[in-house]
């Protein structure tokens, strides 16, 4: 459910979602939604860092609508950019956020999963990242002893950094990764990247492209086998300005490869940027077919 509740405070990255959106998603055949939330932009001062009640109520509504439509939920902390830049300075706010989120949603059904932090990157990596994963897991377990908790590795939780995750004996941990390879295909015309935006145009489907996807699946399977824990593809998608034929071809191939390996997935995203659905045009029918048909 991208580019909505994870937008920066005071910014509009697209429209907020409504109960109708969740009903539409369920009717199309999907069973899970991932709800990214920028909690860190909606807190009061130290030491409590109380989440603003009005914002929390908006999150509550999205959760309520998803559950009303029998959808599983992945709820996370998204775009905590200050933590990525200066981890030592923001541990207490991170701790306070999970204290509040864990308690607030502790009575929800067990098909609501917690994802401790979206895409660790920049200065949050290595042992320090794993310490924060352990901290969040400890806090969550106080109120949610058996709820599924998802962990994603360093360097934007890419497939190549799955092994950087915290090793744990907790039987209710699932590891997540994101897949946007090849980046110079999926992020064409991604203007928000500035100078890092891929240059030129390209399609997808060469032998090298397909081999890269096969290697990614094998990496995920090997990690799953080594850890004895499930893996979950939390994000994959292609920027909307890319040729839709190419977008559909890539997304269909990723979906098929992951499902063949018994790896569940969430597409980025339902609406707004990388959109599968827009108010103007409805569903992208070709993409929807590639994702939902056997």
């Amino acid at each position: 459910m991208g580019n909505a509740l994870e937008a920066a405070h005071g910014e509009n990255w697209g429209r907020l979602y409504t109960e109708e959106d969740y009903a539409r998603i369920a009717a199309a055949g999907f069973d899970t939604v991932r709800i990214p939330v920028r909690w860190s932009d909606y807190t009061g001062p130290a030491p409590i860092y109380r989440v603003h009640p009005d914002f929390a109520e908006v999150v509550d509504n999205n959760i309520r609508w998803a559950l009303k439509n029998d959808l599983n939920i992945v709820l996370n902390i998204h775009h905590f950019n200050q933590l990525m830049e200066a981890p030592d300075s923001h541990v207490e706010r991170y701790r306070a956020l999970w204290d509040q989120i864990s308690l607030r949603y502790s009575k929800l059904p067990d098909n609501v999963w917690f994802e401790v932090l979206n895409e660790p990157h920049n200065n949050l990596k290595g042992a320090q990242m794993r310490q924060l994963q352990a901290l969040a897991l400890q806090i969550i377990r106080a109120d949610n002893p058996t709820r599924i908790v998802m962990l994603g590795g360093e360097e934007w939780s890419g497939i190549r950094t799955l092994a950087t995750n915290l090793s744990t004996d907790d039987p209710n941990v699932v590891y997540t990764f994101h897949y946007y390879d090849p980046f110079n295909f999926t992020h064409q015309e991604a203007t928000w990247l500035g100078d890092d935006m891929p240059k030129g145009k390209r399609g997808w489907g060469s032998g090298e492209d397909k081999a890269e996807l096969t290697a990614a699946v094998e990496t995920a399977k090997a990690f799953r086998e080594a850890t004895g824990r499930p893996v979950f593809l939390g994000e994959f998608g292609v920027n909307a300005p890319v040729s839709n034929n190419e977008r559909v071809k890539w997304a269909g191939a990723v979906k098929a490869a992951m499902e063949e390996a018994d790896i569940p997935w969430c597409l980025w995203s339902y609406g707004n940027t990388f959109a599968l659905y827009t108010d103007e045009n409805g569903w992208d029918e070709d993409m929807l077919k590639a994702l939902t048909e056997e």
Side-chain angles (χ1 to χ4, degrees), residues 71-118:
L71 291 164
N72 308 312
I73 298 170
V74 177
L75 182 70
N76 78 358
I77 289 179
H78 209 94
H79 287 327
F80 194 165
N81 294 336
Q82 303 95 323
L83 183 67
M84 307 300 177
E85 299 302 325
D88 290 335
S89 300
H90 294 277
V91 171
E92 291 311 309
R93 182 151 56 135
Y94 182 70
R95 181 197 304 272
L97 286 175
W98 271 117
D99 276 335
Q100 295 172 79
I101 297 165
S102 176
L103 180 59
R104 185 179 189 93
Y105 300 121
S106 61
K107 303 304 182 185
L108 291 180
D110 60 10
N111 67 325
V112 179
W113 296 5
F114 292 160
E115 179 186 350
V116 302
L117 186 66
N118 179 69

Side-chain angles (χ1 to χ4, degrees), residues 138-155:
Q138 179 184 29
I139 293 168
I140 291 166
R141 286 293 171 248
D143 303 306
N144 300 267
T146 59
R147 189 175 303 281
I148 297 295
V149 175
M150 299 179 70
L151 306 178
E154 64 187 26
E155 296 299 328

Side-chain angles (χ1 to χ4, degrees), residues 185-261:
F185 168 69
T186 62
H187 281 68
Q188 294 172 88
E189 300 188 48
T191 55
W192 62 89
L193 294 174
D195 291 341
D196 293 330
M197 182 180 75
K199 307 300 188 292
K201 293 185 178 182
R202 59 158 291 178
W204 184 88
S206 69
E208 183 179 355
D209 290 340
K210 293 176 181 178
E212 182 177 45
L213 175 56
T214 298
V217 173
E218 291 304 315
T219 296
K221 288 167 59 179
F223 181 82
R224 182 176 61 192
E225 179 69 21
T227 61
R229 296 290 186 276
V231 292
F232 182 93
L233 174 54
E235 290 184 19
F236 72 109
V238 187
N239 196 22
V242 177
S243 163
N244 209 48
N245 288 338
E246 298 297 320
R247 293 176 71 240
V248 170
K249 182 168 59 172
W250 179 86
V254 174
K255 174 256 189 183
M258 296 299 165
E259 290 192 352
E260 185 177 356

